[in-house]
Amino acid sequence: MIIQGAPLGMQWRQHHASGHHAQLTQALLIVVTTIVAAVSLLWTVLTGFAEPRAALAFGVLIALGELARIALPGQREVAPIASAGAIGYTFLLTAGGETVHHQAWQVVAVVAMGMVLGELPHITVGRPPRWGDLARRLFIIEILANAFRPLAASLDPRDTHWWPGLGIMALLVVAVWLIDSVIAGAIRAERLRTPLRVAFRDEIRAQIAIGMAIGASGVLIALAGSVMGIAALLVFTAPLLVTQIAFRRFAEIRLTYLQTVRSLSRVTEVGGYVETGHSRRVSRLAHAIGCELAMRESEVLELEYAALMHDIGQLSLRDPIPSGATVLAPPREQRRIAELGAAVIRETGVLDNVAELVRRQCDPYDETTDSPPPLGSRIIKVANAFDDLVGESTDRDRIEAVVQRLRMDSGSEYDPRVVNALARVLERERTDGERTGQFRIVP
């Protein structure tokens, strides 16, 4: 397996920056959602809006919620207030004591218009939405509206026997949340090339807290609307706004961690201990291998951190290793560098797991031992060796020789499973490269 085209480092930058993978699930979702929204809007305009005051109030709330959308770790975009408002409008049975009669078509039309209006300011200032996430939010409301609104005529919160209606709302919220997690997992699996079961599990863990908060708020808005009218929108979106601020701060902390780690990883490059871009290339390759081996999102994040800082122990060297290629250093020197790097990382007090991955990155693979190196350490070992020996070279024979060398040392020095995963990643890059025409990996 050999590579043609741009240097390997450039190839990985292009691949991860632009996302060359054809995301068929996302494209299909966008098309279906857009068609349903367009038909709903046309039908509603032709037949007229029922209870226009309520429609306007919810539409404004959804627009403001989209304007205040937030980005969560893992490239996830959510709009808690907009989603809660959309759910509330879907479940709305009465407003200030008066029964509402809007149908599913109108729900979809109002939500779609609110989302579009909320996205316009972002687009104006050059922050386009993630169309896949936007389509998911609207698609879930389309399902929810078509499932609930036909039942609305038989439900009345003023009735003493209103518990069945609440139960139906709760079941539908859980059902559409699971559907949303499946869709998000399918899109994520397609983008990262990881198994669907792993992506689905990651989505469940990442969105269960905010998903339940959104669903509960939407149900409360709908039920409170029967007593308080439109004023319920203000009362019950306030707690969700506080929750959204907390999630935003959490995302900012995660982003600060990553930026700090990236800055720390560049110290070895600035000091001339490793080649420029080495840590980033190893991190990206390790990420791809981790996804290929079905690692959880939290494990992949720790793997990225460790891969970025895997060479930080070289700062203790009196004389830098030529080109920073630790794979060419004596085993004793490799272990010393890993130990010192782990000690530096442990000083942060919050990255102990990352420090352990760095500490054991040089341990040889031995499947018979009672305590083999963690999978993350084995991945870093393979990714680092590959980039140490290849770097940004475009020489075909050199790359072929490196892949074969890793294979020959599998079982004694490198984990065969990791090496095979590396080969699959490179083979996939060949296929994607041939389709996009930007670079190729030739067998």
Side-chain angles (χ1 to χ4, degrees):
M1 183 180 300
I2 51 181
I3 301 178
Q4 280 185 327
L8 184 64
M10 181 65 71
Q11 293 165 5
W12 280 100
R13 282 193 292 273
Q14 291 170 339
H15 167 68
H16 285 267
S18 59
H20 292 151
H21 301 322
Q23 298 184 30
L24 298 179
T25 303
Q26 178 171 295
L28 180 61
L29 175 68
I30 293 173
V31 171
V32 171
T33 303
T34 302
I35 292 175
V36 174
V39 172
S40 299
L41 182 58
L42 179 61
W43 179 264
T44 304
V45 169
L46 293 176
T47 59
F49 283 85
E51 290 84 31
R53 184 182 174 188
L56 177 61
F58 277 94
V60 170
L61 176 65
I62 293 168
L64 293 176
E66 284 295 330
L67 183 62
R69 59 182 165 84
I70 59 176
L72 297 181
Q75 299 184 26
R76 296 179 178 90
E77 182 186 85
V78 295
I81 294 177
S83 297
I87 293 173
Y89 188 54
T90 302
F91 289 157
L92 189 65
L93 299 174
T94 63
E98 298 294 331
T99 302
V100 297
H101 305 89
H102 58 266
Q103 301 300 313
W105 297 108
Q106 180 168 317
V107 172
V108 175
V110 169
V111 173
M113 288 190 296
M115 287 183 171
V116 171
L117 291 176
E119 294 297 342
L120 287 179
H122 290 288
I123 296 174
T124 302
V125 297
R127 292 196 304 266
R130 294 178 181 144
W131 297 110
D133 291 330
L134 186 64
R136 264 181 41 230
R137 294 197 291 274
L138 182 55
F139 182 69
I140 291 306
I141 297 302
E142 292 173 354
I143 295 176
L144 194 63
N146 283 282
F148 181 80
R149 291 315 301 179
L151 305 175
S154 61
L155 301 174
D156 189 341
R158 295 169 296 188
D159 193 340
T160 56
H161 302 290
W162 57 274
W163 285 102
L166 178 60
I168 292 173
M169 294 179 185
L171 287 175
L172 286 176
V173 165
V174 174
V176 296
W177 174 68
L178 289 174
I179 292 173
D180 182 57
S181 297
V182 171
I183 296 173
I187 294 174
R188 185 177 182 83
E190 201 170 45
R191 175 167 57 86
L192 298 180
R193 301 302 179 91
T194 193
L196 176 59
R197 59 179 176 78
V198 176
F200 173 69
R201 182 179 59 196
D202 288 339
E203 291 299 326
I204 291 289
R205 291 176 175 175
Q207 300 199 47
I208 185 170
I210 197 166
M212 292 299 100
I214 291 171
S217 298
V219 172
L220 287 175
I221 289 173
L223 295 179
S226 63
V227 178
M228 302 175 61
I230 303 304
L233 297 180
L234 299 177
V235 174
F236 288 96
T237 54
L240 190 59
L241 179 60
V242 175
T243 303
Q244 177 170 320
I245 293 174
F247 275 98
R248 186 188 296 274
R249 289 183 177 177
F250 168 71
E252 290 173 349
I253 291 173
R254 286 278 297 270
L255 180 60
T256 300
Y257 272 162
L258 182 57
Q259 291 173 340
T260 302
V261 169
R262 284 174 176 168
S263 298
L264 191 59
S265 70
R266 293 203 61 193
V267 173
T268 52
E269 298 178 8
V270 174
Y273 288 88
V274 299
E275 291 185 346
T276 302
H278 169 72
S279 297
R280 293 192 300 276
R281 293 194 302 270
V282 172
S283 176
R284 288 163 179 161
L285 186 55
H287 178 279
I289 296 174
C291 291
E292 184 72 22
L293 293 175
M295 293 180 71
R296 296 196 306 269
E297 183 179 3
S298 58
E299 296 173 334
V300 172
L301 181 63
E302 291 180 345
L303 174 61
E304 286 188 87
Y305 286 170
L308 282 169
M309 296 189 291
H310 74 282
D311 271 334
I312 199 170
Q314 290 202 45
L315 296 174
S316 64
L317 299 179
R318 179 175 302 177
D319 298 315
I321 300 172
S323 301
T326 52
V327 71
L328 302 177
R332 182 176 180 180
E333 189 73 2
Q334 293 183 29
R335 285 192 293 271
R336 176 172 173 269
I337 292 172
E339 291 282 355
L340 291 172
V344 171
I345 297 171
R346 282 199 179 91
E347 290 298 320
T348 63
V350 294
L351 297 174
D352 289 346
N353 291 339
V354 174
E356 182 63 13
L357 295 181
V358 172
R359 186 182 73 85
R360 302 201 62 185
Q361 65 175 305
C362 298
D363 292 1
Y365 174 73
D366 185 357
E367 59 183 4
T368 63
T369 185
D370 294 333
S371 58
L375 177 58
S377 298
R378 287 175 265 157
I379 291 175
I380 294 174
K381 186 180 181 70
V382 170
N384 176 67
F386 182 84
D387 195 75
D388 275 348
L389 298 174
V390 173
E392 293 191 334
S393 172
T394 59
D395 183 84
R396 305 179 183 184
D397 294 335
R398 179 176 180 178
I399 295 172
E400 173 66 18
V402 168
V403 173
Q404 294 303 321
R405 173 176 172 176
L406 295 179
R407 287 191 182 278
M408 288 188 295
D409 290 338
S410 296
S412 58
E413 193 68 25
Y414 305 105
D415 184 347
R417 197 159 62 102
V418 175
V419 176
N420 290 334
L422 168 67
R424 291 195 298 271
V425 168
L426 296 177
E427 176 64 22
R428 188 166 60 241
E429 291 304 314
R430 177 193 66 79
T431 304
D432 292 341
E434 288 179 345
R435 183 172 59 248
T436 61
Q438 293 198 5
F439 63 89
R440 294 191 300 143
I441 303 177
V442 185

mmCIF file of all heavy atoms in Angstrom, residues 164-194:
data_model
loop_
_atom_site.group_PDB
_atom_site.id
_atom_site.type_symbol
_atom_site.label_atom_id
_atom_site.label_comp_id
_atom_site.label_asym_id
_atom_site.label_seq_id
_atom_site.Cartn_x
_atom_site.Cartn_y
_atom_site.Cartn_z
ATOM 1 N N PRO A 164 -53.612 10.012 31.381
ATOM 2 C CA PRO A 164 -53.268 9.311 30.130
ATOM 3 C C PRO A 164 -52.645 10.227 29.093
ATOM 4 O O PRO A 164 -51.720 9.830 28.369
ATOM 5 C CB PRO A 164 -54.627 8.775 29.663
ATOM 6 C CG PRO A 164 -55.427 8.629 30.904
ATOM 7 C CD PRO A 164 -55.019 9.781 31.765
ATOM 8 N N GLY A 165 -53.159 11.477 29.018
ATOM 9 C CA GLY A 165 -52.570 12.422 28.067
ATOM 10 C C GLY A 165 -51.121 12.732 28.400
ATOM 11 O O GLY A 165 -50.259 12.781 27.507
ATOM 12 N N LEU A 166 -50.846 12.918 29.701
ATOM 13 C CA LEU A 166 -49.466 13.173 30.118
ATOM 14 C C LEU A 166 -48.581 11.970 29.816
ATOM 15 O O LEU A 166 -47.425 12.120 29.391
ATOM 16 C CB LEU A 166 -49.429 13.496 31.617
ATOM 17 C CG LEU A 166 -48.054 13.753 32.226
ATOM 18 C CD1 LEU A 166 -47.374 14.941 31.553
ATOM 19 C CD2 LEU A 166 -48.164 13.981 33.730
ATOM 20 N N GLY A 167 -49.127 10.775 30.031
ATOM 21 C CA GLY A 167 -48.352 9.573 29.732
ATOM 22 C C GLY A 167 -48.023 9.451 28.260
ATOM 23 O O GLY A 167 -46.908 9.057 27.893
ATOM 24 N N ILE A 168 -48.993 9.795 27.417
ATOM 25 C CA ILE A 168 -48.743 9.758 25.971
ATOM 26 C C ILE A 168 -47.642 10.743 25.596
ATOM 27 O O ILE A 168 -46.744 10.424 24.812
ATOM 28 C CB ILE A 168 -50.044 10.072 25.199
ATOM 29 C CG1 ILE A 168 -51.051 8.933 25.380
ATOM 30 C CG2 ILE A 168 -49.752 10.296 23.718
ATOM 31 C CD1 ILE A 168 -52.420 9.226 24.786
ATOM 32 N N MET A 169 -47.703 11.948 26.156
ATOM 33 C CA MET A 169 -46.666 12.943 25.878
ATOM 34 C C MET A 169 -45.291 12.427 26.290
ATOM 35 O O MET A 169 -44.312 12.550 25.535
ATOM 36 C CB MET A 169 -46.975 14.252 26.609
ATOM 37 C CG MET A 169 -48.209 14.978 26.131
ATOM 38 S SD MET A 169 -48.486 16.499 27.084
ATOM 39 C CE MET A 169 -50.068 17.038 26.423
ATOM 40 N N ALA A 170 -45.215 11.866 27.495
ATOM 41 C CA ALA A 170 -43.920 11.381 27.996
ATOM 42 C C ALA A 170 -43.378 10.260 27.116
ATOM 43 O O ALA A 170 -42.181 10.235 26.783
ATOM 44 C CB ALA A 170 -44.067 10.906 29.440
ATOM 45 N N LEU A 171 -44.246 9.326 26.736
ATOM 46 C CA LEU A 171 -43.799 8.222 25.888
ATOM 47 C C LEU A 171 -43.320 8.716 24.530
ATOM 48 O O LEU A 171 -42.308 8.230 24.003
ATOM 49 C CB LEU A 171 -44.927 7.210 25.717
ATOM 50 C CG LEU A 171 -45.262 6.343 26.932
ATOM 51 C CD1 LEU A 171 -46.492 5.476 26.651
ATOM 52 C CD2 LEU A 171 -44.077 5.470 27.325
ATOM 53 N N LEU A 172 -44.041 9.685 23.963
ATOM 54 C CA LEU A 172 -43.639 10.208 22.661
ATOM 55 C C LEU A 172 -42.305 10.952 22.750
ATOM 56 O O LEU A 172 -41.469 10.855 21.843
ATOM 57 C CB LEU A 172 -44.723 11.134 22.114
ATOM 58 C CG LEU A 172 -45.988 10.453 21.595
ATOM 59 C CD1 LEU A 172 -47.023 11.490 21.179
ATOM 60 C CD2 LEU A 172 -45.660 9.533 20.420
ATOM 61 N N VAL A 173 -42.096 11.691 23.836
ATOM 62 C CA VAL A 173 -40.825 12.402 24.013
ATOM 63 C C VAL A 173 -39.669 11.409 24.077
ATOM 64 O O VAL A 173 -38.632 11.597 23.422
ATOM 65 C CB VAL A 173 -40.862 13.267 25.288
ATOM 66 C CG1 VAL A 173 -39.455 13.713 25.675
ATOM 67 C CG2 VAL A 173 -41.742 14.491 25.068
ATOM 68 N N VAL A 174 -39.834 10.346 24.860
ATOM 69 C CA VAL A 174 -38.774 9.334 24.958
ATOM 70 C C VAL A 174 -38.558 8.650 23.613
ATOM 71 O O VAL A 174 -37.418 8.410 23.186
ATOM 72 C CB VAL A 174 -39.125 8.290 26.041
ATOM 73 C CG1 VAL A 174 -38.101 7.158 26.034
ATOM 74 C CG2 VAL A 174 -39.172 8.946 27.414
ATOM 75 N N ALA A 175 -39.656 8.350 22.909
ATOM 76 C CA ALA A 175 -39.548 7.662 21.618
ATOM 77 C C ALA A 175 -38.798 8.513 20.600
ATOM 78 O O ALA A 175 -37.878 8.023 19.920
ATOM 79 C CB ALA A 175 -40.931 7.308 21.097
ATOM 80 N N VAL A 176 -39.169 9.800 20.475
ATOM 81 C CA VAL A 176 -38.495 10.629 19.474
ATOM 82 C C VAL A 176 -37.062 10.937 19.884
ATOM 83 O O VAL A 176 -36.188 11.128 19.020
ATOM 84 C CB VAL A 176 -39.272 11.941 19.219
ATOM 85 C CG1 VAL A 176 -40.630 11.653 18.623
ATOM 86 C CG2 VAL A 176 -39.385 12.784 20.473
ATOM 87 N N TRP A 177 -36.796 10.965 21.199
ATOM 88 C CA TRP A 177 -35.416 11.163 21.642
ATOM 89 C C TRP A 177 -34.553 9.966 21.226
ATOM 90 O O TRP A 177 -33.414 10.142 20.767
ATOM 91 C CB TRP A 177 -35.369 11.343 23.158
ATOM 92 C CG TRP A 177 -33.981 11.400 23.702
ATOM 93 C CD1 TRP A 177 -33.039 12.379 23.523
ATOM 94 C CD2 TRP A 177 -33.349 10.397 24.505
ATOM 95 N NE1 TRP A 177 -31.875 12.053 24.167
ATOM 96 C CE2 TRP A 177 -32.033 10.847 24.776
ATOM 97 C CE3 TRP A 177 -33.758 9.181 25.036
ATOM 98 C CZ2 TRP A 177 -31.133 10.107 25.544
ATOM 99 C CZ3 TRP A 177 -32.870 8.449 25.808
ATOM 100 C CH2 TRP A 177 -31.583 8.912 26.048
ATOM 101 N N LEU A 178 -35.100 8.756 21.353
ATOM 102 C CA LEU A 178 -34.359 7.571 20.917
ATOM 103 C C LEU A 178 -34.178 7.578 19.400
ATOM 104 O O LEU A 178 -33.106 7.227 18.891
ATOM 105 C CB LEU A 178 -35.091 6.304 21.359
ATOM 106 C CG LEU A 178 -35.077 6.003 22.856
ATOM 107 C CD1 LEU A 178 -35.970 4.802 23.168
ATOM 108 C CD2 LEU A 178 -33.649 5.743 23.341
ATOM 109 N N ILE A 179 -35.211 7.995 18.673
ATOM 110 C CA ILE A 179 -35.095 8.080 17.214
ATOM 111 C C ILE A 179 -34.012 9.091 16.839
ATOM 112 O O ILE A 179 -33.190 8.847 15.955
ATOM 113 C CB ILE A 179 -36.450 8.473 16.589
ATOM 114 C CG1 ILE A 179 -37.464 7.340 16.773
ATOM 115 C CG2 ILE A 179 -36.285 8.799 15.107
ATOM 116 C CD1 ILE A 179 -38.873 7.708 16.349
ATOM 117 N N ASP A 180 -34.027 10.230 17.518
ATOM 118 C CA ASP A 180 -33.014 11.254 17.256
ATOM 119 C C ASP A 180 -31.614 10.730 17.544
ATOM 120 O O ASP A 180 -30.666 11.007 16.796
ATOM 121 C CB ASP A 180 -33.303 12.483 18.115
ATOM 122 C CG ASP A 180 -32.313 13.606 17.864
ATOM 123 O OD1 ASP A 180 -32.188 14.053 16.709
ATOM 124 O OD2 ASP A 180 -31.651 14.033 18.831
ATOM 125 N N SER A 181 -31.465 9.960 18.618
ATOM 126 C CA SER A 181 -30.152 9.397 18.958
ATOM 127 C C SER A 181 -29.687 8.403 17.901
ATOM 128 O O SER A 181 -28.503 8.349 17.567
ATOM 129 C CB SER A 181 -30.214 8.714 20.331
ATOM 130 O OG SER A 181 -30.517 9.646 21.351
ATOM 131 N N VAL A 182 -30.638 7.626 17.363
ATOM 132 C CA VAL A 182 -30.280 6.669 16.304
ATOM 133 C C VAL A 182 -29.811 7.422 15.062
ATOM 134 O O VAL A 182 -28.793 7.078 14.442
ATOM 135 C CB VAL A 182 -31.472 5.755 15.971
ATOM 136 C CG1 VAL A 182 -31.176 4.929 14.722
ATOM 137 C CG2 VAL A 182 -31.772 4.827 17.146
ATOM 138 N N ILE A 183 -30.557 8.461 14.679
ATOM 139 C CA ILE A 183 -30.188 9.234 13.485
ATOM 140 C C ILE A 183 -28.844 9.918 13.692
ATOM 141 O O ILE A 183 -27.965 9.879 12.822
ATOM 142 C CB ILE A 183 -31.274 10.274 13.161
ATOM 143 C CG1 ILE A 183 -32.591 9.577 12.804
ATOM 144 C CG2 ILE A 183 -30.833 11.176 12.015
ATOM 145 C CD1 ILE A 183 -33.756 10.521 12.636
ATOM 146 N N ALA A 184 -28.677 10.553 14.864
ATOM 147 C CA ALA A 184 -27.402 11.220 15.159
ATOM 148 C C ALA A 184 -26.258 10.210 15.179
ATOM 149 O O ALA A 184 -25.156 10.492 14.696
ATOM 150 C CB ALA A 184 -27.485 11.951 16.498
ATOM 151 N N GLY A 185 -26.520 9.017 15.732
ATOM 152 C CA GLY A 185 -25.495 7.984 15.752
ATOM 153 C C GLY A 185 -25.140 7.507 14.357
ATOM 154 O O GLY A 185 -23.965 7.263 14.054
ATOM 155 N N ALA A 186 -26.155 7.378 13.486
ATOM 156 C CA ALA A 186 -25.890 6.944 12.104
ATOM 157 C C ALA A 186 -25.033 7.974 11.369
ATOM 158 O O ALA A 186 -24.095 7.620 10.650
ATOM 159 C CB ALA A 186 -27.202 6.717 11.375
ATOM 160 N N ILE A 187 -25.360 9.261 11.552
ATOM 161 C CA ILE A 187 -24.573 10.308 10.907
ATOM 162 C C ILE A 187 -23.153 10.332 11.455
ATOM 163 O O ILE A 187 -22.181 10.457 10.702
ATOM 164 C CB ILE A 187 -25.255 11.678 11.108
ATOM 165 C CG1 ILE A 187 -26.597 11.712 10.372
ATOM 166 C CG2 ILE A 187 -24.352 12.813 10.628
ATOM 167 C CD1 ILE A 187 -27.404 12.966 10.630
ATOM 168 N N ARG A 188 -23.027 10.178 12.763
ATOM 169 C CA ARG A 188 -21.704 10.186 13.388
ATOM 170 C C ARG A 188 -20.884 8.978 12.954
ATOM 171 O O ARG A 188 -19.686 9.085 12.677
ATOM 172 C CB ARG A 188 -21.850 10.212 14.906
ATOM 173 C CG ARG A 188 -20.538 10.338 15.672
ATOM 174 C CD ARG A 188 -20.782 10.430 17.170
ATOM 175 N NE ARG A 188 -19.534 10.605 17.879
ATOM 176 C CZ ARG A 188 -18.928 11.769 18.048
ATOM 177 N NH1 ARG A 188 -19.454 12.855 17.527
ATOM 178 N NH2 ARG A 188 -17.791 11.852 18.715
ATOM 179 N N ALA A 189 -21.528 7.810 12.902
ATOM 180 C CA ALA A 189 -20.826 6.596 12.477
ATOM 181 C C ALA A 189 -20.337 6.732 11.052
ATOM 182 O O ALA A 189 -19.241 6.276 10.704
ATOM 183 C CB ALA A 189 -21.748 5.382 12.627
ATOM 184 N N GLU A 190 -21.138 7.356 10.218
ATOM 185 C CA GLU A 190 -20.767 7.543 8.817
ATOM 186 C C GLU A 190 -19.605 8.531 8.688
ATOM 187 O O GLU A 190 -18.711 8.354 7.861
ATOM 188 C CB GLU A 190 -21.981 8.046 8.038
ATOM 189 C CG GLU A 190 -21.906 7.808 6.545
ATOM 190 C CD GLU A 190 -23.233 8.099 5.877
ATOM 191 O OE1 GLU A 190 -23.842 9.136 6.200
ATOM 192 O OE2 GLU A 190 -23.667 7.279 5.045
ATOM 193 N N ARG A 191 -19.622 9.571 9.528
ATOM 194 C CA ARG A 191 -18.578 10.599 9.447
ATOM 195 C C ARG A 191 -17.255 10.107 10.009
ATOM 196 O O ARG A 191 -16.188 10.359 9.445
ATOM 197 C CB ARG A 191 -19.034 11.852 10.215
ATOM 198 C CG ARG A 191 -17.994 12.958 10.310
ATOM 199 C CD ARG A 191 -18.624 14.244 10.804
ATOM 200 N NE ARG A 191 -19.279 14.085 12.070
ATOM 201 C CZ ARG A 191 -18.664 14.196 13.254
ATOM 202 N NH1 ARG A 191 -17.367 14.461 13.298
ATOM 203 N NH2 ARG A 191 -19.322 14.046 14.381
ATOM 204 N N LEU A 192 -17.314 9.391 11.137
ATOM 205 C CA LEU A 192 -16.089 8.949 11.800
ATOM 206 C C LEU A 192 -15.671 7.541 11.399
ATOM 207 O O LEU A 192 -14.616 7.071 11.824
ATOM 208 C CB LEU A 192 -16.264 9.009 13.326
ATOM 209 C CG LEU A 192 -16.537 10.398 13.923
ATOM 210 C CD1 LEU A 192 -16.683 10.298 15.432
ATOM 211 C CD2 LEU A 192 -15.436 11.377 13.553
ATOM 212 N N ARG A 193 -16.535 6.845 10.642
ATOM 213 C CA ARG A 193 -16.264 5.457 10.247
ATOM 214 C C ARG A 193 -16.080 4.572 11.476
ATOM 215 O O ARG A 193 -15.091 3.846 11.605
ATOM 216 C CB ARG A 193 -15.028 5.383 9.349
ATOM 217 C CG ARG A 193 -15.145 6.196 8.066
ATOM 218 C CD ARG A 193 -16.343 5.751 7.233
ATOM 219 N NE ARG A 193 -16.486 6.521 6.011
ATOM 220 C CZ ARG A 193 -15.943 6.195 4.856
ATOM 221 N NH1 ARG A 193 -15.215 5.109 4.774
ATOM 222 N NH2 ARG A 193 -16.128 6.951 3.808
ATOM 223 N N THR A 194 -17.024 4.670 12.374
ATOM 224 C CA THR A 194 -17.027 3.847 13.573
ATOM 225 C C THR A 194 -18.319 3.046 13.585
ATOM 226 O O THR A 194 -19.297 3.433 12.927
ATOM 227 C CB THR A 194 -16.920 4.726 14.837
ATOM 228 O OG1 THR A 194 -16.622 3.919 15.978
ATOM 229 C CG2 THR A 194 -18.199 5.499 15.081
#
